[in-house]
C-alpha cells in the first residue's frame, strides 16, 4: 500500500486522533483553503477583464478603472470579514461536537455533513452580491461595460464556489468519518457524483464557452473585434481552463475515486480472508452510502463466517461444507464407512472424585487428542456422547481407504493417550461396513449421523476393549477392508458374540 503524502497525512491525521485535534486541524486548513479559492476566483476575474474580454468604447475609462479598483479593495475586505464570521458560525457546532468527544445526534450529523455545501453557499452569496454591486457601479459609465464586468465576476464566483466546495469537502473527510462512525444516513446528504462532474464541467467547458460568448456579445453590440483580440481571448481562456479547470477536475475526480478505491482495497482484503475489514465512511453522498453498504455487507459476511465456523465445529468441517454446497434435507445415503468409537474407562469414578470443573477440563483435554488424531487421518468426529466420541471415516465424502484410516487412527490414538499427560484411559473399537449416513431428525431440528451395523459393532467392541490389554479392538471385516498395508499392523484373535448381535465377531488387536 502506498504511503500517504505529507499533505495527505496533514489533512487525514491518524485514525486514533482525538476530537479536539481533528477540530483544530480542520479549522486550521479550511480558512486558507477558502482564501485560496477566492484568490483563484479573483485571478480569473483579473485575467478575463484585463486581457481576455474586449472592453467597450466609452469615455472616462481611467476614472472607471480607479473607481473599480477602489470598490474592489473595499468589497474584498468587507467580504472577507463577513465570510470569516459566517463561516466560523457554520463551523462552530462542528468544533463543539468534536471537542466533547461524543457521537453526534441526527441533527448535528446532518449539519456536519452539509458544512462544505454551506461554505459553498457563503462564497456564492458574497460573489453574487459582488456581481450586483459592480454591475450597478459600472452602469454609471456604460451598459456594455456593466455586462462585461457582471459576466467576468460571475465566472470568478463560479470558479471560487466550485473550488471551495471541492477543497473543503476533502479537508472535512476526517470530520465526516468521525460523524458517520455511529451510522450513515439512509439518504445522501451531499451532492454526489453527478454534481461533482457538473462542477468540473462548469470550469472545463462553461467558462471558456461563456468567455467566447462575451466576445460575441461585444461584437453584436457594435464593438469591432479584431482577429488579434479573438486570438488573445482564446489564449487567455485556454490558460484559465488549463489552470483552474485542471485543478477542479482533478479535485472532483479524487473526490469520486477515493471512496471507490477504499472499497476496492477492502474487497481485496475480504477476498484474502480478512473478515475484520471495515471502510471508514467519509463521504456524505451516495459514495458514502456505498462505503456504509460495504461495511454492512462485510458485517453480514463476518457473521456468516462465524456461523459457518461454529457450524463446522459442531458437526465437522466436511459435513458443514457439504451442507453449504448441496443444501440440507432429511434422509441419507448408503455408504461404505469405517467407525471408530472411543469411551473413557472409569468415568463414573472420575465424576464422583473430582469437581465438575475438573471433569470438564480433563474431558476437553482428552477430546482434544481424539479430534487431533481423527482429523490427521482424514476422519470426522461425528458426535460427543458424554465421555465417549464417535468418529466416522468415509462420510459424508466417500473414501476408498476409510477402513485403513480408521484402523491407523485407532493405533495412533492408543499411543497418544498412553504418552499424554492426562491420566485417563479409554477403550477403542473399530468396525467397517455398509451404513446410512445423512440428516436424521425433524425439519426444525436434526443432526448428521451414521446409522448401521458398523456403528453398533464399534460401540460393543469399545465396551469390550475396556477390559482387555491394550484397550484397542477391531473387527475382522474392518481389517480385511483395510488392505494389506494396514492389515499387517493387526493380528486376528478369537471370535466372540457381542452384546445385542446375533452373529459372532472375530476380534483383531494391534500386532505388537
Amino acid at each position: 500500500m502506498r504511503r500517504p503524502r505529507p499533505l495527505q497525512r496533514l489533512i487525514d491525521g491518524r485514525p486514533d486522533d482525538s476530537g479536539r485535534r481533528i477540530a483544530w486541524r480542520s479549522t486550521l486548513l479550511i480558512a486558507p483553503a477558502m482564501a485560496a479559492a477566492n484568490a483563484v476566483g479573483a485571478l480569473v476575474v483579473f485575467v478575463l477583464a484585463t486581457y481576455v474580454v474586449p472592453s467597450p468604447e466609452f469615455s472616462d475609462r481611467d476614472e472607471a478603472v480607479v473607481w473599480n479598483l477602489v470598490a474592489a479593495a473595499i468589497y474584498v475586505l468587507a467580504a472577507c470579514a463577513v465570510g470569516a464570521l459566517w463561516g466560523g458560525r457554520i463551523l462552530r457546532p462542528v468544533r463543539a461536537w468534536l471537542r466533547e468527544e461524543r457521537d453526534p445526534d441526527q441533527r448535528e450529523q446532518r449539519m456536519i455533513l452539509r458544512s462544505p455545501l454551506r461554505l459553498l453557499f457563503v462564497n456564492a452569496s458574497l460573489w453574487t452580491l459582488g456581481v450586483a454591486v459592480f454591475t450597478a457601479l459600472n452602469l454609471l459609465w456604460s451598459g456594455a461595460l456593466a455586462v462585461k464586468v457582471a459576466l467576468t465576476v460571475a465566472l470568478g464566483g463560479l470558479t471560487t464556489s466550485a473550488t471551495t466546495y471541492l477543497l473543503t469537502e476533502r479537508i472535512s473527510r476526517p470530520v465526516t468519518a468521525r460523524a458517520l462512525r455511529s451510522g450513515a444516513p439512509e439518504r445522501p446528504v451531499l451532492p454526489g457524483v453527478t454534481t461533482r462532474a457538473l462542477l468540473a464541467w462548469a470550469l472545463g467547458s462553461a467558462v471558456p464557452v461563456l468567455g467566447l460568448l462575451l466576445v460575441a456579445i461585444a461584437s453584436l453590440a457594435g464593438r469591432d473585434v479584431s482577429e488579434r483580440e479573438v486570438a488573445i481571448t482564446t489564449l487567455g481562456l485556454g490558460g484559465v481552463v488549463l489552470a483552474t479547470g485542471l485543478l477542479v477536475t482533478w479535485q472532483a475526480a479524487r473526490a469520486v475515486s477515493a471512496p471507490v478505491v477504499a472499497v476496492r482495497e477492502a474487497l481485496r482484503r475480504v477476498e484474502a480472508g480478512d473478515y475484520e475489514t471495515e471502510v471508514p465512511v467519509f463521504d456524505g453522498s451516495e459514495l458514502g452510502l456505498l462505503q456504509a453498504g460495504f461495511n454492512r455487507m462485510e458485517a453480514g459476511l463476518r457473521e456468516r463466517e462465524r456461523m459457518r465456523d461454529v457450524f463446522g465445529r459442531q458437526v465437522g468441517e466436511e459435513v458443514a461444507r457439504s451442507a453449504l454446497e448441496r443444501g440440507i434435507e432429511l434422509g441419507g445415503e448408503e455408504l461404505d464407512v469405517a467407525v471408530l468409537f472411543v469411551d473413557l474407562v472409569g468415568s463414573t469414578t472420575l465424576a464422583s472424585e473430582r469437581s465438575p470443573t475438573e471433569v470438564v477440563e480433563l474431558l476437553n483435554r482428552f477430546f482434544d487428542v481424539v479430534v487431533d488424531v481423527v482429523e490427521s487421518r482424514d476422519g470426522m468426529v461425528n458426535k460427543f456422547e458424554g465421555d465417549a466420541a464417535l468418529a466416522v471415516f468415509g462420510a459424508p465424502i466417500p473414501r476408498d481407504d476409510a477402513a485403513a484410516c480408521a484402523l491407523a487412527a485407532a493405533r495412533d490414538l492408543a499411543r497418544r493417550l498412553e504418552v499424554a499427560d492426562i491420566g485417563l484411559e479409554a477403550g477403542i473399537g473399530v468396525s467397517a461396513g455398509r451404513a446410512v449416513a445423512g440428516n436424521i431428525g425433524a425439519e426444525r431440528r436434526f443432526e448428521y449421523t451414521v446409522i448401521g451395523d458398523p456403528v453398533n459393532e464399534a460401540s460393543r467392541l469399545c465396551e469390550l476393549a475396556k477390559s482387555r490389554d491394550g484397550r484397542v479392538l477391531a473387527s475382522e471385516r474392518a481389517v480385511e477392508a483395510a488392505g494389506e498395508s494396514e492389515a499387517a499392523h493387526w493380528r486376528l484373535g478369537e471370535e466372540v458374540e457381542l452384546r445385542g448381535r446375533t452373529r459372532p465377531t472375530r476380534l483383531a488387536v494391534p500386532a505388537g
Side-chain angles (χ1 to χ4, degrees), residues 5 13 53 70-72 82 90 95-96 150 191 216 233 263 269 292 336 392 405 417 451 493 501:
R5 297 183 178 90
V53 181
V70 172
V82 172
I90 291 173
R95 292 195 295 265
T233 299
V263 172
R269 293 196 294 271
D336 289 318
V392 180
C405 291
L417 290 176
I451 298 176
R501 291 176 57 80

Side-chain angles (χ1 to χ4, degrees), residues 289-356:
L289 298 185
L290 172 67
Q291 294 173 311
F294 171 85
N295 288 337
R296 288 192 295 269
M297 178 199 73
E298 201 279 332
L301 288 175
R302 185 166 57 245
E303 179 67 15
R304 181 176 180 271
E305 188 64 20
R306 190 183 71 84
M307 293 292 292
R308 180 175 179 172
D309 179 62
V310 172
F311 183 39
R313 292 172 187 266
Q314 292 282 348
V315 302
E317 285 288 338
E318 292 184 351
V319 174
R321 189 179 302 111
S322 176
L324 292 172
E325 292 175 355
R326 298 188 292 178
I328 299 177
E329 59 181 15
L330 293 178
E333 56 181 338
E334 286 194 12
L335 297 172
D336 289 318
V337 301
V339 179
L340 183 151
F341 208 94
V342 56
D343 191 10
L344 283 179
V345 176
S347 58
T348 303
T349 304
L350 177 69
S352 64
E353 295 179 348
R354 301 188 182 229
S355 67

Side-chain angles (χ1 to χ4, degrees), residues 462-485:
C462 175
E463 184 180 343
L464 182 61
K466 292 181 181 181
S467 59
R468 298 294 184 96
D469 293 339
R471 310 289 193 189
V472 181
L473 291 176
S475 66
E476 179 184 20
R477 63 176 176 176
V479 175
E480 291 177 347
E484 294 181 2
S485 178

Side-chain angles (χ1 to χ4, degrees), residues 217-235:
I217 291 172
S219 177
L220 292 174
R223 169 76 162 82
D224 291 332
V225 181
S226 66
E227 292 182 1
R228 178 181 175 81
E229 290 176 323
V230 172
I232 293 175
T233 299
T234 304
L235 289 174

